[in-house]
DNA sequence: TTTATGGCTGTCA
DNA sequence: ATGACAGCCATAA
């Protein structure tokens, strides 16, 4: 029986991110106990249902920006959600990780 | 099983 | 600062 997957771990970490803060894929993977699985984190969020209650928008890449994905619409969606949480973007469409990156 | 793809990251020039 | 490269590994066909 294998009812537990890596994704559940990832989701737990993402849901642990406080409002108004963000975390990188690599960071989430590391906290979840899956170092080096940064891409899988992205994959986990990709297959994640919208009504799962997971703040996937709080997860950004190492550059503190929004990565390009298969569906360009989501990029806008994520930015809007982040701004709604009080996170501001720079001119380069990036977030100040020094200020907003979540550190447990 | 092998191949290809993917919401990444770190290092090097 | 920006661009190119290799490494990490799960999922789908």
């Amino acid at each position: 029986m294998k009812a537990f997957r890596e994704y559940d771990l990832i989701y737990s970490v993402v849901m642990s991110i406080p409002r108004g803060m963000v975390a990188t894929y690599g960071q989430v993977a590391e906290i979840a106990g899956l170092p080096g699985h940064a891409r899988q984190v992205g994959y986990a969020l990709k297959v994640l249902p919208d009504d799962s209650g997971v703040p996937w928008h709080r997860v950004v890449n190492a550059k503190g920006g929004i990565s390009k994905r298969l569906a360009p619409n989501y990029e806008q969606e994520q930015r809007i959600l982040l701004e709604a949480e009080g996170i501001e973007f720079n001119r380069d469409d990036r977030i100040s990780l020094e200020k907003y990156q979540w550190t447990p």
Side-chain angles (χ1 to χ4, degrees):
Chain A
M1 143 186 176
K2 186 181 179 186
F4 212 66
R5 310 171 58 59
E6 301 183 353
Y7 287 8
D8 296 309
L9 237 35
I10 294 169
Y11 298 150
S12 297
V13 175
V14 176
M15 285 190 283
S16 302
I17 302 173
R19 187 175 182 278
M21 305 218 110
V22 297
T24 64
Y25 291 95
Q27 189 181 359
V28 171
E30 189 178 343
I31 295 170
L34 304 166
H37 289 216
R39 298 181 103 163
Q40 271 53 346
V41 173
Y43 231 88
L45 296 178
K46 170 182 155 191
V47 300
L48 177 68
D50 293 347
D51 57 351
S52 56
V54 179
W56 57 272
H57 53 264
R58 291 182 190 151
V59 184
V60 295
N61 60 23
K63 304 181 188 72
I66 302 174
S67 299
K68 292 184 178 181
R69 49 182 68 147
L70 302 177
N73 341 346
Y74 281 113
E75 295 182 23
Q76 298 285 303
E77 188 74 35
Q78 182 168 13
R79 174 163 182 163
I80 293 171
L81 288 168
L82 288 173
E83 291 180 324
E85 305 226 332
I87 297 173
E88 296 180 29
F89 283 69
N90 300 332
R91 289 182 300 156
D92 307 315
D93 298 297
R94 280 194 238 146
I95 301 171
S96 302
L97 292 177
E98 293 295 316
K99 297 182 65 174
Y100 298 109
Q101 185 168 46
W102 173 54
T103 48

